[in-house]
Amino acid sequence: MEPFFEDNFFPLPEEIPREFAGVLPLSLDHYLSGGVLHKWDGPFREVRSPVCVRTSSGLSGMPVGRYPLMTGKESLHILRSAREAFDHGRGEWPSMALTRRIEKVEGFISKMMPSKDLISRILMWEIGKTYKDSQLEFDRTVDYAKGVIEAFRKVCTSTREPITGHGIVGRIERMPLGVVLCMGPFNYPLFETFTGLIPALISGNTVIFKTPRFGTLLYQPLLEIFRDSFPAGVVNEISGEGKEVIPPLLSSGMIDGLAFIGTSTVAAYLRGLHPRTQRLRCVLGLEAKNPAIILPDADLDLTVKECITGALSFNGQRCAALKLFFVPKHRAELFLAKFSAALAAVRSGMPWQENILVTPLVEPGKPAYLAGLMGDAISRGAEIMNSGGGSSSGTFFSPALLYPVSPSMRLYHEEQFGPLIPVVPYNDLEEVLRYGAQSNYGQQASLFGADPEVLSRLAGHLMHHVSRVNINCQCQRSPDVMPFTGRKDSGEGSLSIEDAPFAFTLPSIIAARDTLAHRKIIGDFGEGAEG
């Protein structure tokens, strides 16, 4: 294996562009509860960036700032605020007309827009996402919110007319659940948190959002805007160790909805904390091991192009990333040669640099974990196929193309969530289809081939095991108008734009005998709800 790193891969402190270094360090020393920004006087978590700098004593993560390490005491205080604001559905927010709630959310989005550049820079430092992709995450968050607003308006319009039948007249209303807990992940700490928070709010719920361990400081510019945009107690924020602040909330039995992005193991634990699990409405985005299935007639140039971005966008730290590659054995040599050449052209570096695909990793110990997966595969017969693959320094791990990978290896089964590219040779397509059927995961798959009949047949089979089949393109969440969910251990529910109005509401019906008087009552009820 050839050396990959140069001594100057990480910068000296003075080499960091001033326009990016100027936002640091940050101190998030307040939390939002009950419409008040409370000063935090307890312990803090010190945040260091995955971006290291060279010092006389070695590599050191750039200090980014600090945020509160809150406790169960604050959790219950925040929960009381959210419950009081909901007030069994009689609070100001759930009683407010949908049109007014939409106006409030639109006002919030408008007020957060001037913070785009600051939030993007903080996001870049906190999780190592490129500045360009950090800006795109902000834009996508805003676009999602606007799309959800239009979806709510559409649903509202479609349910205005009364329903009649068998002498009964009625009207369906979508009613909020109560208090919704939103927990976003570190890889999309703004977007994925807002995919739960925005529809939960518009639905009339009050919300508690737990910031991710990595990706908390970006909320500093937003807390005051939340406070000023919504009635007291409608939006509440908590930070700290999840094992400290989340169990008191769920075990209280007073959380009605949970939007969680993480692992199936943690999701099962969280759900189990609730004393009445049947009352907890969950929308879950969980882990995946999305396969790319390369057929014998696939266009390998197109395939490799899609697979490179599918495997390495944000270092492969996406549940929708491609994480296992099946290639016909007789085409493996050519596929590997083309993939290795494409990897050689991939630019790695610091997140403020232009045209960078691979950056330092934010999770402590992640390079060592990836090295362990790689070492296990090598010990069982795999080889690193690209020059410099698997080299590491500090928080950086160079993408590694591994072949041949087999079911005897951890990398075949475990979600690597990083820049390891395992390639599995196959002789019979039935081997691949068995993987799809037997895997614990069922989010997506990508099929690469040319024969429409074969692609259609295989897609029809795979759709019994995954929630999305991509033809000649990488796995991905977008566009947000399409459902994004998973089978098996990969997810539950959907927060796509079209599904959002139904995620945190339940249908409730007002009905009566079909008379003119009753029609007027039901009609007036509808007008009042919108007035």
Side-chain angles (χ1 to χ4, degrees):
M1 183 166 43
E2 298 178 15
F4 174 81
F5 291 99
E6 299 177 358
D7 291 340
N8 62 352
F9 179 78
F10 286 102
L12 294 167
E14 60 269 22
E15 292 174 337
I16 298 172
R18 184 176 302 175
E19 64 268 28
F20 292 106
V23 300
L24 306 180
L26 295 159
S27 181
L28 179 56
D29 55 6
H30 290 77
Y31 68 94
L32 177 61
S33 174
V36 176
L37 284 175
H38 298 270
K39 178 76 172 179
W40 177 250
D41 58 3
F44 288 85
R45 165 166 282 139
E46 302 295 327
V47 179
R48 287 191 172 269
S49 175
V51 176
C52 297
V53 292
R54 306 196 315 268
T55 70
S56 58
S57 57
L59 295 176
S60 177
M62 278 286 290
V64 180
R66 62 179 192 166
Y67 64 80
L69 276 175
M70 298 164 69
T71 69
K73 177 182 177 182
E74 288 76 42
S75 291
L76 294 177
H77 171 76
I78 287 170
L79 179 59
R80 284 192 295 271
S81 296
R83 296 301 304 182
E84 290 169 4
F86 189 74
D87 191 18
H88 306 284
R90 295 178 295 181
E92 178 184 358
W93 186 250
S95 300
M96 190 180 293
L98 174 62
T99 52
R100 286 286 296 131
R101 292 200 299 266
I102 286 175
E103 287 174 5
K104 293 285 188 182
V105 172
E106 286 178 322
F108 168 79
I109 295 299
S110 178
K111 291 174 186 174
M112 75 177 273
M113 290 298 293
S115 301
K116 173 182 174 178
D117 187 63
L118 175 58
I119 290 173
S120 299
R121 291 168 193 267
I122 299 171
L123 184 58
M124 182 199 81
W125 281 113
E126 276 198 273
I127 65 171
K129 182 173 287 188
T130 66
Y131 177 60
K132 178 182 177 181
D133 284 346
S134 297
Q135 289 183 305
L136 289 175
E137 179 172 345
F138 186 97
D139 291 340
R140 186 180 180 190
T141 303
V142 171
D143 289 344
Y144 175 85
K146 292 178 178 178
V148 167
I149 286 170
E150 292 309 311
F152 269 92
R153 285 185 172 133
K154 187 189 303 182
V155 169
C156 172
T157 301
S158 68
T159 57
R160 283 184 184 276
E161 294 301 315
I163 299 171
T164 59
H166 299 282
I168 299 294
V169 61
R171 177 187 171 95
I172 300 173
E173 292 290 325
R174 302 291 309 188
M175 306 304 291
L177 303 176
V179 178
V180 174
L181 173 62
C182 298
M183 300 174 65
F186 80 82
N187 57 341
Y188 290 94
L190 182 68
F191 174 74
E192 293 285 17
T193 301
F194 272 53
T195 59
L197 186 149
I198 293 296
L201 277 178
I202 299 176
S203 298
N205 301 280
T206 58
V207 170
I208 301 169
F209 72 95
K210 159 71 171 65
T211 57
R213 180 179 182 184
F214 312 108
T216 287
L217 290 172
L218 66 91
Y219 284 95
Q220 186 204 46
L222 296 179
L223 292 186
E224 188 173 326
I225 303 174
F226 274 123
R227 181 198 65 188
D228 297 341
S229 299
F230 301 102
V234 171
V235 179
N236 308 272
E237 174 263 345
I238 192 166
S239 63
E241 292 284 359
K243 63 183 179 182
E244 296 291 332
V245 298
I246 297 303
L249 294 174
L250 288 167
S251 61
S252 72
M254 292 188 286
I255 296 293
D256 304 293
L258 172 65
F260 172 74
I261 312 291
T263 68
S264 56
T265 302
V266 174
Y269 166 72
L270 295 176
R271 197 200 300 261
L273 290 172
H274 201 288
R276 297 178 178 88
T277 54
Q278 74 279 6
R279 297 190 184 185
L280 183 65
R281 184 81 170 268
C282 295
V283 182
L284 310 173
L286 308 174
E287 71 263 39
K289 189 76 172 176
N290 297 331
I293 302 170
I294 295 97
L295 301 177
D297 60 354
D299 178 338
L300 290 187
D301 291 326
L302 168 66
T303 299
V304 167
K305 180 181 178 182
E306 289 289 328
C307 288
I308 283 283
T309 53
L312 295 181
S313 291
F314 192 39
N315 310 316
Q317 298 171 123
R318 300 176 298 118
C319 62
L322 287 170
K323 301 190 177 83
L324 197 61
F325 300 78
F326 291 94
V327 63
K329 192 168 185 178
H330 72 277
R331 299 201 78 189
E333 184 177 350
L334 182 57
F335 175 79
L336 293 167
K338 288 180 176 289
F339 210 110
S340 295
L343 278 174
V346 167
R347 290 195 63 198
S348 303
M350 299 301 107
W352 57 79
Q353 294 174 320
E354 294 289 334
N355 302 315
I356 295 297
L357 187 61
V358 183
T359 60
L361 302 168
V362 66
E363 293 178 278
K366 190 67 181 213
Y369 169 75
L370 295 174
L373 287 179
M374 186 173 67
D376 173 76
I378 291 171
S379 72
R380 298 174 189 275
E383 296 181 30
I384 299 172
M385 307 304 295
N386 62 308
S387 177
S391 300
S392 64
S393 176
T395 55
F396 192 86
F397 189 92
S398 178
L401 180 66
L402 291 155
Y403 178 86
V405 170
S406 70
S408 67
M409 302 170 188
R410 292 169 55 200
L411 188 53
Y412 184 91
H413 304 280
E414 295 182 31
E415 183 191 34
Q416 62 269 40
F417 219 69
L420 286 180
I421 303 136
V423 180
V424 183
Y426 71 88
N427 291 310
D428 184 347
L429 196 55
E430 284 300 317
E431 302 170 36
V432 183
L433 298 181
R434 277 197 299 273
Y435 169 83
Q438 296 171 359
S439 173
N440 290 328
Y441 307 117
Q443 190 198 83
Q444 299 187 44
S446 286
L447 279 173
F448 295 93
D451 188 323
E453 184 178 339
V454 172
L455 290 169
S456 179
R457 176 172 56 84
L458 293 177
H461 172 84
L462 288 169
M463 288 176 74
H464 289 283
H465 305 287
V466 299
S467 291
R468 174 168 166 168
V469 178
N470 304 275
I471 305 296
N472 289 319
C473 63
Q474 62 177 294
C475 296
Q476 55 195 314
R477 172 168 179 157
S478 64
D480 292 316
V481 293
M482 292 184 178
F484 180 71
T485 184
R487 289 172 173 265
K488 306 177 189 176
D489 292 342
S490 287
E492 177 181 324
S494 171
L495 284 172
S496 71
I497 286 172
E498 298 301 320
D499 295 324
F502 309 102
F504 303 108
T505 60
L506 290 171
S508 192
I509 303 165
I510 179 171
R513 293 293 177 186
D514 192 355
T515 67
L516 288 176
H518 287 155
R519 279 179 173 256
K520 185 176 188 310
I521 291 170
I522 289 173
D524 289 345
F525 174 86
E527 290 301 314
E530 287 307 308

